[in-house]
């Protein structure tokens, strides 16, 4: 997965939001939560007020807003993009890489 936001854009957003960066990020994440919930209700048949196209557009918008917010948070707290990327790689490998290896072991034991 690669989503790229130019560092200078993140800095601009961080300056624009100022001390409100954490609050704005929380609000954006809340809006994404709501969009996911609406989409899931549509999939389960409990929400037919919106079309799947409308829901997908809203979901994409909210994901983009959260990505922008996360980038602003990184700048706001003076964190390292590389450090975060390294930790993401490590966590994905630990969480999902081991499962893949376990499946390979299980399959070879069955043969």
């Amino acid at each position: 997965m690669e989503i790229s936001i130019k560092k200078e854009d993140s800095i601009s957003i961080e300056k624009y939001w100022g001390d409100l960066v954490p609050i704005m990020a929380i609000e954006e994440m809340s809006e994404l939560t709501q969009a996911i919930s609406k989409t899931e209700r549509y999939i389960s048949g409990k929400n037919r007020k919106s079309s799947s196209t409308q829901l997908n557009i809203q979901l994409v918008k909210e994901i983009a807003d959260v990505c922008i917010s996360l980038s602003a948070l990184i700048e706001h707290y003076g964190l390292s993009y590389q450090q975060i990327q390294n930790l993401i790689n490590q966590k994905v490998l630990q969480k999902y890489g081991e499962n893949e290896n376990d499946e390979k072991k299980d399959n070879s034991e069955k043969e």
Side-chain angles (χ1 to χ4, degrees):
M1 176 180 97
E2 186 175 324
I3 296 173
S4 179
I5 298 168
K6 290 186 241 171
K7 185 172 181 158
E8 53 271 13
D9 290 340
S10 297
I11 293 169
S12 296
I13 294 162
E14 197 271 331
K15 285 181 181 176
Y16 179 79
W17 284 351
D19 291 339
L20 295 176
V21 167
I23 301 302
M24 297 300 290
I26 291 167
E27 288 180 10
E28 294 299 347
M29 289 180 227
S30 176
E31 290 173 15
L32 176 57
T33 301
Q34 185 178 25
I36 292 168
S37 179
K38 284 182 179 181
T39 302
E40 288 301 311
R41 285 196 314 269
Y42 179 86
I43 291 169
S44 70
K46 295 177 183 173
N47 172 18
R48 295 297 177 180
K49 295 177 185 173
S50 303
S51 72
S52 64
T53 302
Q54 290 171 319
L55 292 169
N56 284 341
I57 290 169
Q58 191 62 34
L59 193 56
V60 169
K61 286 180 180 179
E62 298 307 338
I63 290 171
D65 287 344
V66 167
C67 289
I68 292 166
S69 298
L70 290 174
S71 186
L73 279 173
I74 291 167
E75 294 301 325
H76 180 77
Y77 289 115
L79 304 173
S80 160
Y81 286 91
Q82 188 59 53
Q83 183 181 20
I84 292 168
Q85 186 61 58
N86 290 344
L87 190 55
I88 289 169
N89 294 344
Q90 179 185 346
K91 285 181 165 251
V92 167
L93 184 62
Q94 285 175 346
K95 191 166 191 167
Y96 303 105
E98 290 176 7
N99 290 342
E100 186 177 296
N101 291 336
D102 290 345
E103 286 177 21
K104 287 179 183 176
K105 282 184 203 174
D106 290 343
N107 288 338
S108 64
E109 289 173 4
K110 290 177 185 176
E111 293 172 357

